[in-house]
Amino acid sequence: MELGQIGIDVPSMIIGTSSLGNLYEAKPYGQKLELVLAALECFPNGIVFDSAGKYGAGLALETLGQALYDLQVPKDKVLISNKIGWKRAPLKDIEPTFERDVWKELAYDAVQDISYQGMLTCFEEGNKLLKGYQTQLVSIHDPDEYLDQAVSPKDYERRFSDILEGYAALEELKQAGKVKAIGVGSKNWKVIQKIYQHYPLDWVMIANSMTIYDHPEELFNFMKLLEKEGVGIVNSAVFHSGFLVGGECFDYQKMKKTDSDYQKRHLWRTQYFALCEAFAIDPAHGCIQFAMQLPGVNSLALNSTSTRRVQANAMFCETPIPDSFWDACKEQGLIAGYLSEFKLNKTE
């Protein structure tokens, strides 16, 4: 399918690469190579990888480039999305200074650089790490985190100006033919909305925000607007960092029994798992199809450390779920009431 109205064909599943950057655990290169190969086998006619300089302080980009080179993958069969705004820095301690306890056994640290020059620097660094493969889709990564660091309203406005200057740099890359499309990746969808009011994005990546567990009606309506205006939507992190399929982390943080939402989240998951078992549906399948059927969604960005799971996820993206399952989700309150009239099967 096409990503919005920019004329770029993308498969229903975009391959996330955070695991190549040692997310939560460090895996040997051979296992990472197998993950890339499994993904390529799922999409032999053309594949999209989503990466970022932040992932393992460039390790994900570096590993992806090395794997594609070692597997001799034709460059015209690969589309690479790079969420830029983080660049490598010397590692001065055992742990990196960003997202502590998330990235393991890194050789570098990473620092955020959202500015006109920062975009150009991160773009060039990313292409260098990719070992001859080129970034075609670019976006500013984590502008929400950059704005959250503001110490005053004036500082917030200065930081937002930095973001807009960053987009001016990306626009220059696009006009020069160095990239095909410009987007944004953010965990806070309201920051996407604010940027879109100032800059005509080609596509957006919504992370942790529109899932079967949490789907705000205000965001649903914004997605309908983006769909109407021809902006492509990639839905990402639809498992809430694996929690919805049995993991211990929620949105990149390990859950603790003292957390205010601990009981609520576990109760929802227990009920969801029971319903999936009753319908003989893999919980991941439910998460994927819900996220896929929402307004304007062209593709999902999914990451895994298992070759089997990569293959299963690709199949789940292409396999609709019966309406009876969605009806049961609505009846049990697992899905918000405002979706009662929304049909969760675009293919019908």
Side-chain angles (χ1 to χ4, degrees):
M1 62 181 70
E2 288 194 354
L3 186 60
Q5 294 181 356
I6 54 180
I8 297 176
D9 287 326
V10 296
S12 57
M13 174 175 156
I14 291 174
I15 308 301
T17 61
S18 54
S19 63
L20 302 184
N22 292 357
L23 179 69
Y24 302 133
E25 60 180 331
K27 295 232 179 211
Y29 174 70
Q31 292 185 27
K32 295 177 182 179
L33 185 67
E34 290 176 358
L35 283 174
V36 174
L37 179 58
L40 290 164
E41 290 174 344
C42 289
F43 303 101
N45 297 322
I47 191 168
V48 181
F49 288 98
D50 173 65
S51 198
K54 187 181 185 182
Y55 294 166
L59 179 61
L61 286 164
E62 194 171 37
T63 303
L64 175 62
Q66 188 65 56
L68 294 173
Y69 177 82
D70 289 344
L71 294 169
Q72 299 184 345
V73 179
K75 293 179 181 178
D76 63 355
K77 294 294 186 182
V78 179
L79 194 68
I80 296 175
S81 166
N82 187 7
K83 301 189 293 288
I84 58 181
W86 290 79
K87 61 185 181 182
R88 276 186 165 178
L91 184 66
K92 298 179 180 179
D93 204 343
I94 297 175
E95 289 285 327
T97 57
F98 71 103
E99 294 184 337
R100 290 181 177 274
D101 300 323
V102 172
W103 307 97
K104 304 301 181 182
E105 297 183 26
L106 300 186
Y108 296 90
D109 203 345
V111 293
Q112 195 170 42
D113 189 355
I114 292 181
S115 63
Y116 176 87
Q117 187 56 49
M119 291 298 102
L120 299 179
T121 299
C122 293
F123 175 74
E124 294 299 332
E125 179 179 271
N127 282 346
K128 184 177 179 181
L129 292 171
L130 285 169
K131 301 184 185 300
Y133 291 84
Q134 299 291 310
T135 299
Q136 296 102 340
L137 304 179
V138 290
S139 57
I140 291 184
H141 197 190
D142 295 334
D144 48 339
E145 292 184 9
Y146 185 64
L147 292 173
D148 286 344
Q149 296 169 32
V151 296
S152 67
K154 185 176 181 180
D155 187 34
Y156 182 95
E157 291 306 316
R158 178 190 66 79
R159 288 173 178 271
F160 191 72
S161 294
D162 289 343
I163 291 169
L164 295 183
E165 288 179 8
Y167 276 107
L170 297 185
E171 183 65 32
E172 287 187 12
L173 292 174
K174 183 179 177 182
Q175 293 301 321
K178 294 184 177 181
V179 301
K180 294 181 178 180
I182 299 170
V184 62
S186 175
K187 301 180 185 72
N188 183 342
W189 70 268
K190 291 188 176 181
V191 171
I192 295 176
Q193 187 179 50
K194 181 176 175 65
I195 291 171
Y196 184 60
Q197 291 169 351
H198 291 79
Y199 181 82
L201 298 162
D202 297 316
W203 60 277
V204 305
M205 178 178 285
I206 297 168
N208 292 338
S209 303
M210 199 64 178
T211 71
I212 193 170
Y213 174 76
D214 185 25
H215 37 274
E217 186 173 7
E218 191 179 0
L219 173 53
F220 182 87
N221 292 330
F222 177 53
M223 291 169 71
K224 288 200 295 186
L225 173 66
L226 293 175
E227 180 181 38
K228 180 180 178 181
E229 298 186 352
V231 179
I233 300 176
V234 177
N235 204 348
S236 174
V238 301
F239 304 136
H240 286 288
S241 302
F243 180 79
L244 299 189
V245 290
E248 296 181 356
C249 292
F250 189 98
D251 291 355
Y252 307 106
Q253 299 295 323
K254 191 166 184 177
M255 288 284 292
K256 300 176 182 177
K257 291 186 177 180
T258 54
D259 293 342
S260 58
D261 288 328
Y262 183 90
Q263 295 285 358
K264 173 187 170 186
R265 289 170 179 169
H266 277 269
L267 181 62
W268 186 97
R269 189 172 71 177
T270 298
Q271 190 177 356
Y272 175 64
F273 278 12
L275 189 62
C276 287
E277 184 177 2
F279 279 83
I281 288 172
D282 189 305
H285 193 182
C287 293
I288 285 171
Q289 275 298 308
F290 180 90
M292 178 70 73
Q293 302 302 326
L294 296 166
V297 174
N298 303 105
S299 187
L300 301 189
L302 299 172
N303 176 68
S304 179
T305 58
S306 160
T307 56
R308 181 189 61 80
R309 181 53 67 180
V310 168
Q311 295 161 345
N313 287 347
M315 181 186 69
F316 292 156
C317 284
E318 298 293 334
T319 310
I321 287 176
D323 286 337
S324 55
F325 176 77
W326 302 123
D327 292 341
C329 284
K330 294 170 185 177
E331 290 170 4
Q332 294 191 22
L334 292 170
I335 292 178
Y338 78 86
L339 287 174
S340 59
E341 300 302 319
F342 181 70
K343 194 166 183 62
L344 280 160
N345 264 329
K346 290 180 181 176
T347 55
E348 294 186 3

